Amino acid sequence: MSRISRLQNIDGLINALTIAKNQCSLSENDVNLLNDAIAKLNRLRKKKGLTDKNYKSEVSDIIALLIRFFNLML
């Protein structure tokens, strides 16, 4: 995946999470999980020279946070 595609995907997810965080009535724990995911995405956005393997590893950590967020909402 090209760097431009990665950045577009990351930006889209950051925007979606920020909108969800600001428009939904969430518990403090939910907001913290979203903030952690957004922070990791911002750090991932700044990293250069990532291989696909590194990128997938970083993304899997972010997905784990989002899974915890959605499990808490159920």
Side-chain angles (χ1 to χ4, degrees):
M1 181 184 299
S2 72
R3 180 160 167 75
I4 293 172
S5 293
R6 288 180 182 175
L7 292 177
Q8 288 173 341
N9 290 336
I10 291 170
D11 288 342
L13 188 51
I14 289 171
N15 289 335
L17 293 177
T18 302
I19 289 169
K21 183 180 77 168
N22 292 332
Q23 290 186 348
C24 297
S25 174
L26 300 172
S27 70
E28 183 178 335
N29 192 32
D30 291 340
V31 171
N32 288 338
L33 285 171
L34 289 178
N35 283 336
D36 289 345
I38 291 168
K40 284 185 179 234
L41 285 165
N42 281 320
R43 284 192 300 270
L44 180 60
R45 189 179 194 298
K46 294 177 183 178
K47 289 186 178 180
K48 294 183 180 178
L50 288 175
T51 64
D52 281 340
K53 184 177 180 179
N54 297 116
Y55 182 74
K56 288 176 184 176
S57 174
E58 296 283 336
V59 169
S60 68
D61 293 340
I62 295 164
I63 290 171
L65 286 172
L66 295 176
I67 289 171
R68 286 181 40 208
F69 168 74
F70 287 117
N71 282 336
L72 290 175
M73 292 191 69
L74 296 176

